[in-house]
Amino acid sequence: MLLSIAILIVGFASLVWSADRFVFGAAALAKNYGIPTLIIGLTIVAMGSSAPEMMVSAQAALAKQTDTAVGNAVGSNITNILLVLGITALLRPLSVSSSTLKREMPVVMLVSLGAWYILSDNYLAFGEGVALMVSFVIFIAAVTIISVKQSKAANAEHDPFVDEACDEVPDNVRTPIALMWLVIGMAILPISSHFIIESATDIAKLFGISDLVIGLTIIAIGTSLPELAACVAGVLKNEDDLALGNIIGSNIFNLLAVLSLAGIINPSSVDPAVSSRDILIMLGATAALIAMSLSIRGSRRINRVEGGLLLAAFLGYQYLIFSTVSA
């Protein structure tokens, strides 16, 4: 067991590192080939924090463990809001000023409702996976087109989230160096994912935990580490919109891109607990995020008390899962 735990920890560390290197290399290479910084920031950089979830879910689906892949997608969304946002708001209250984020908040709820509908019959079909992936491409294209048009408009106000995302695009990186990091990231990502799935499965079998629960807990928390690091770094640099944007963007990507991979690679039945428990928790957490961010009082601020409530809800959710398992 100790060996499996050690492999799991090393796997998560290498997964996060390789995802970062992959995004760095891809963004730098795109920059060198003349792709506008705005487009890179809203696509490659914005998608970067979800790369671990995408790779792990793909690996789980290839191993015929669709419950793990689905649990990773749903559990990561719950973790992003309740744990990551909770910790971030406790460190420093978050102000919401980006029009991009305000526009995407209803989208994340709509996508969450769509995921609930898809999984309500306890089956993830190939066609549903394709539909989610097509929706993902449309979403990325729409956000990019709208942002590009706004940036070109006369007297257009700078959107803080867009500005902060563009600031994350690496500059003055030589093409051979960018290509090197891209290849290294692409090589290590699937290897790390493979060892994570293998070691997590061994641990789950040892403790009698289902594939779904391991995806909802250990794997979801591990693959959410990039969001936690990005959010903490964001608030420490007073980039509140980037911190919140990482969570909202990641949650949309998890349901459209990560969940779709499970359906496309290995269409199969899903544990009924997903539709009867976990999706409902995710919808509640998403509703809480929107309510806190778009307050009818107009404060547009997520304070420490709300952060504490989110963190307490995450701990309560973990207790609910494991008490059900032990029962």
Side-chain angles (χ1 to χ4, degrees), residues 50-315:
S50 290
E53 284 93 341
M54 293 177 70
M55 190 57 64
V56 168
S57 287
Q59 191 70 46
L62 287 170
K64 308 298 182 183
Q65 294 174 301
T66 300
D67 279 340
T68 300
V70 172
N72 182 28
V74 175
S76 290
N77 279 21
I78 295 171
T79 301
N80 284 345
I81 297 175
L82 300 184
L83 178 64
V84 176
L85 183 59
I87 291 175
T88 304
L90 281 174
L91 289 174
R92 191 171 68 83
L94 292 168
S95 298
V96 185
S97 57
S98 168
S99 61
T100 299
L101 297 186
K102 295 170 187 175
R103 185 173 60 240
E104 289 184 6
M105 284 179 186
V107 175
V108 73
M109 176 55 80
L110 182 64
V111 170
S112 298
L113 289 170
W116 169 77
Y117 175 77
I118 286 174
L119 296 173
S120 61
D121 62 353
N122 303 322
Y123 191 88
L124 182 57
F126 176 81
E128 292 169 334
V130 172
L132 288 171
M133 184 59 73
V134 171
S135 300
F136 173 67
V137 174
I138 292 173
F139 169 74
I140 290 293
V143 170
T144 303
I145 291 171
I146 292 172
S147 298
V148 169
K149 286 183 177 179
Q150 287 182 342
S151 68
K152 293 180 179 179
N155 301 319
E157 294 183 3
H158 285 286
D159 188 301
F161 171 68
V162 174
D163 291 343
E164 290 161 9
C166 291
D167 289 340
E168 297 296 312
V169 178
D171 201 7
N172 298 321
V173 179
R174 293 188 297 116
T175 297
I177 300 298
L179 188 60
M180 177 193 72
W181 285 123
L182 177 64
V183 172
I184 290 175
M186 289 178 64
I188 298 178
L189 268 171
I191 296 173
S192 303
S193 302
H194 170 75
F195 282 109
I196 286 172
I197 294 299
E198 289 293 318
S199 57
T201 300
D202 291 340
I203 295 171
K205 289 180 179 178
L206 183 64
F207 287 99
I209 301 173
S210 68
D211 290 343
L212 173 63
V213 171
I214 202 72
L216 287 167
T217 55
I218 297 175
I219 294 179
I221 294 171
T223 54
S224 292
L225 292 176
E227 283 85 0
L228 179 59
C231 288
V232 171
V235 296
L236 292 178
K237 293 187 292 185
N238 295 321
E239 296 177 343
D240 292 10
D241 288 298
L242 185 59
L244 191 56
N246 278 319
I247 292 174
I248 296 174
S250 177
N251 280 21
I252 294 174
F253 295 164
N254 285 342
L255 295 179
L256 295 183
V258 177
L259 194 60
S260 68
L261 290 176
I264 292 171
I265 296 173
N266 185 43
S268 64
S269 58
V270 178
D271 191 319
V274 175
S275 60
S276 65
R277 180 192 62 199
D278 306 305
I279 282 283
L280 300 180
I281 298 292
M282 185 188 74
L283 287 172
T286 303
L289 166 64
I290 295 174
M292 293 176 182
S293 302
L294 303 178
S295 171
I296 58 175
R297 296 170 298 177
S299 62
R300 303 296 192 272
R301 192 175 180 85
I302 302 175
N303 57 45
R304 286 191 174 93
V305 172
E306 291 167 331
L309 291 174
L310 291 174
L311 188 56
F314 177 77
L315 296 176

Side-chain angles (χ1 to χ4, degrees), residues 34-51:
I35 297 177
T37 300
L38 175 61
I39 294 178
I40 299 172
L42 291 173
T43 55
I44 297 174
V45 173
M47 291 167 57
S49 60
S50 290

